[in-house]
């Protein structure tokens, strides 16, 4: 049985680059998971690899209007996915957690080929 790779985080340069360079990837929006975790049901009783690339939108990195929403959008999605996988017998083989949004500096129109200008340790 082939192990499916799932990317959580649809709207990012990194996810787009992975889609262009790897085969058989499935990309799921973190927003969709927050609305309905059961979209992951297609992986029940299967083995998957997960790439979490959903920390925070590049356009919202420095905007913390609500700490609760900020954490929910970043860490909360990861927790929901892991809980769902545990409870629904989805066997995770590998997890990669990454975020590329802040490596381009304060550039909301960043492209994966832009010069790297990290603003902070994150």
């Amino acid at each position: 049985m082939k192990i499916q790779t799932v990317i959580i985080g649809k709207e990012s340069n990194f996810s787009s680059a992975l889609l262009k360079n790897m085969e058989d990837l499935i990309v799921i929006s973190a927003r969709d998971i927050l609305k309905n975790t059961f979209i992951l049901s297609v992986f029940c009783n299967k083995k998957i690899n997960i790439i979490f690339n959903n920390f925070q939108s590049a356009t919202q990195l420095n905007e913390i209007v609500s700490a609760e929403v900020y954490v929910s959008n970043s860490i909360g999605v990861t927790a929901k996915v892991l809980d769902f996988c545990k409870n629904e017998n989805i066997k995770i083989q590998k997890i990669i957690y990454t975020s590329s949004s802040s490596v381009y500096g304060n550039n909301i129109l960043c492209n994966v080929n832009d010069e790297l200008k990290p603003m902070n340790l994150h």
Side-chain angles (χ1 to χ4, degrees), residues 49-94:
N49 296 322
I50 299 178
I51 300 172
F52 287 101
N53 187 41
N54 63 295
F55 185 79
Q56 190 74 3
S57 298
T59 58
Q60 298 173 344
L61 273 177
N62 298 316
E63 296 176 19
I64 303 180
V65 176
S66 166
E68 184 177 349
V69 171
Y70 189 86
V71 170
S72 176
N73 287 343
S74 53
I75 301 166
V77 171
T78 302
K80 280 182 170 283
V81 169
L82 295 176
D83 278 345
F84 188 85
C85 290
K86 177 183 165 194
N87 295 331
E88 299 298 326
N89 197 31
I90 299 172
K91 297 165 185 72
I92 301 171
Q93 301 301 296
K94 288 183 186 177

Side-chain angles (χ1 to χ4, degrees), residues 84-121:
F84 188 85
C85 290
K86 177 183 165 194
N87 295 331
E88 299 298 326
N89 197 31
I90 299 172
K91 297 165 185 72
I92 301 171
Q93 301 301 296
K94 288 183 186 177
I95 294 176
I96 297 173
Y97 189 92
T98 184
S99 178
S100 59
S101 58
S102 69
V103 300
Y104 303 106
N106 193 19
N107 179 2
I108 62 171
L109 302 174
C110 59
N111 182 292
V112 73
N113 296 318
D114 286 353
E115 180 183 350
L116 301 180
K117 297 178 184 178
M119 295 173 43
N120 55 45
L121 181 60

